Amino acid sequence: MLSEEMVFRLQLLLDSNQISEKSFAVVKEKLENLLKAHTLDADHPSSGPFTNHLAIAVERVNRQEALKDVSKETEELINQNPDLYEKANQILKDCIWQSGAEITRAETGFITLYLAMFQQK
């Protein structure tokens, strides 16, 4: 179950027209699935910011406005965590609702960063 903060953040993005209803629905479902799979902990301090970032990334990807530039630090993280990168890529793939939307290494890299944070104790 999503935390109050996660629900609040998603709703705020929707109400402020920063994400579409389609992005809201797919991200909410994806977050719920990540919680059920224990990939995400609703009580983790980064779960709220992750909710925001995932929702905005999903909206950008579906609008075909995905970030393209990958920082050196993000590239290093990707190279050190290929399994997390693949998991992050799958998360974004599961949130595609627009035909022709393409996921970029930059967007996947940011999701990888969050997944790495969630694995830290």
Side-chain angles (χ1 to χ4, degrees):
M1 185 167 152
L2 300 183
S3 69
E4 286 183 30
E5 179 185 6
M6 294 168 78
V7 171
F8 175 77
R9 286 173 178 257
L10 269 180
Q11 192 63 51
L12 184 62
L13 290 171
L14 178 64
D15 292 346
S16 62
N17 294 316
Q18 293 183 64
I19 63 170
S20 66
E21 293 209 16
K22 287 181 180 181
S23 290
F24 176 90
V26 298
V27 169
K28 184 175 185 285
E29 180 180 353
K30 189 52 160 172
L31 290 169
E32 289 168 349
N33 290 338
L34 291 171
L35 289 167
K36 287 177 191 170
H38 303 287
T39 301
L40 174 62
D41 177 358
D43 295 325
H44 191 283
S46 293
S47 65
F50 175 67
T51 299
N52 266 52
H53 195 96
L54 179 61
I56 295 294
V58 165
E59 187 68 23
R60 279 194 302 253
V61 168
N62 280 293
R63 286 186 182 176
Q64 299 179 18
E65 299 170 354
L67 298 177
K68 304 245 187 289
D69 295 329
V70 182
S71 71
K72 178 182 171 187
E73 295 82 5
T74 302
E75 197 62 54
E76 288 174 7
L77 176 76
I78 290 169
N79 292 333
Q80 293 168 358
N81 297 280
D83 292 344
L84 288 181
Y85 179 81
E86 287 306 315
K87 184 179 267 190
N89 197 48
Q90 188 60 54
I91 288 169
L92 287 173
K93 280 183 182 178
D94 292 345
C95 295
I96 296 295
W97 50 261
Q98 181 64 48
S99 176
E102 292 184 27
I103 299 166
T104 62
R105 189 166 178 85
E107 296 289 7
T108 304
F110 284 119
I111 303 304
T112 304
L113 172 67
Y114 278 100
L115 295 180
M117 283 192 300
F118 295 140
Q119 285 193 340
Q120 293 176 351
K121 300 293 179 198

